[in-house]
Amino acid sequence: MANFHTHASVAIGCSAIAAAALHTAGIIHSQFTMPLILFGSIGGLLPDVDSDHSTSIRVIFNLLSIIGATATMMLVGRDYGIVPGIGAGACFFVIARYIIFYLFTKATRHRGIFHSLPMGVICGLVTASVSWHLLRYSAPNAWLAGLFVSGGFLVHLLLDEIYSVDLSGGRLKSSFLSACKLMSRDSWLLYVGLYLLIGILLIPAPPLTILREQILTAQLAQTLWAHRW
């Protein structure tokens, strides 16, 4: 499989190209390009969080713990003052970085259900809902954040599959098709649960029609600009 640096570099590169294309098409503002690149980069590391000794799991848990602690500190501090806010943020960081990290590594195995296509969809849906309800993104931007996470996730899985092909020896390694999974006979019940969870996560997700309207509006603007003469 590809190593951490390869996954990170390719995820950042693909996210940057996609964000630049959306900005050029007039779908997003320039200030939203960097957040989208960040979302795509995180998505490109997420599949390896089920590997207990990978660099990805440490980077992801550190990043999410810091973001969560900062958000908790702001929310609590706004209502109860700066000292309780700092205390709540510190508690969140310790719980997320050490307790949840420990439980997560014990409960998962590498290339299990987390290393699958439905999990990539779930991560995108969770990101879209969190961006809309908690970060107060507009519905189109929340969906784009979710799509970039899922897109980065997919890029990671495809890279692992590419590295499972031994071009010099003309053979497929034993890890081939172990990354891009839709279902597994050994864990079929867990996969059924994943697909049910996808349906449930569509309920709190932002309305999709607004994103479609924004894309159509951007396309109309591009057409009018192209025919301005």
Side-chain angles (χ1 to χ4, degrees):
M1 67 182 70
N3 57 29
F4 171 81
H5 296 291
T6 301
H7 281 306
S9 300
V10 174
I12 293 172
C14 291
S15 300
I17 293 172
L22 290 175
H23 175 249
T24 302
I27 297 175
I28 61 173
H29 296 292
S30 58
Q31 61 266 29
F32 195 52
T33 55
M34 287 306 299
L36 285 183
I37 293 173
L38 177 61
F39 281 118
S41 302
I42 292 175
L45 300 179
L46 278 175
D48 274 349
V49 299
D50 59 1
S51 179
D52 296 353
H53 304 290
S54 71
T55 304
S56 296
I57 188 172
R58 294 193 298 272
V59 171
I60 291 296
F61 265 88
N62 285 335
L63 183 60
L64 294 181
S65 298
I66 292 172
I67 293 174
T70 303
T72 301
M73 182 177 65
M74 294 175 62
L75 291 173
V76 175
R78 182 180 58 190
D79 296 329
Y80 299 100
I82 187 170
V83 175
I86 294 175
C91 289
F92 182 97
F93 180 85
V94 171
I95 292 173
R97 179 59 184 86
Y98 297 101
I99 298 177
I100 296 179
F101 176 84
Y102 174 79
L103 295 175
F104 186 86
T105 55
K106 293 299 181 183
T108 58
R109 63 180 180 85
H110 190 41
R111 291 213 172 188
I113 61 170
F114 209 91
H115 219 96
S116 65
L117 291 171
M119 185 58 73
V121 176
I122 289 172
C123 289
L125 287 173
V126 170
T127 302
S129 295
V130 169
S131 299
W132 193 44
H133 293 287
L134 297 182
L135 301 181
R136 301 299 182 185
Y137 281 8
S138 65
N141 286 350
W143 273 117
L144 287 174
L147 288 173
F148 266 67
V149 168
S150 293
F153 200 105
L154 178 60
V155 167
H156 181 113
L157 299 184
L158 291 176
L159 269 177
D160 279 348
E161 294 296 0
I162 291 173
Y163 272 72
S164 296
V165 179
D166 184 359
L167 296 178
S168 60
R171 64 182 182 87
L172 299 177
K173 299 178 182 178
S174 59
S175 58
F176 185 66
L177 295 181
S178 65
C180 293
K181 298 189 295 291
L182 288 170
M183 180 64 73
S184 172
R185 289 185 298 176
D186 297 332
S187 307
W188 66 270
L189 189 57
L190 292 175
Y191 276 86
V192 170
L194 291 183
Y195 287 109
L196 290 176
L197 183 57
I198 289 175
I200 294 172
L201 288 173
L202 288 172
I203 298 174
L208 190 57
T209 54
I210 299 179
L211 175 61
R212 183 182 62 185
E213 291 172 1
Q214 179 166 322
I215 294 175
L216 291 175
T217 301
Q219 290 176 341
L220 177 60
Q222 287 288 316
T223 302
L224 293 175
W225 177 257
H227 294 85
R228 64 191 183 281
W229 303 112

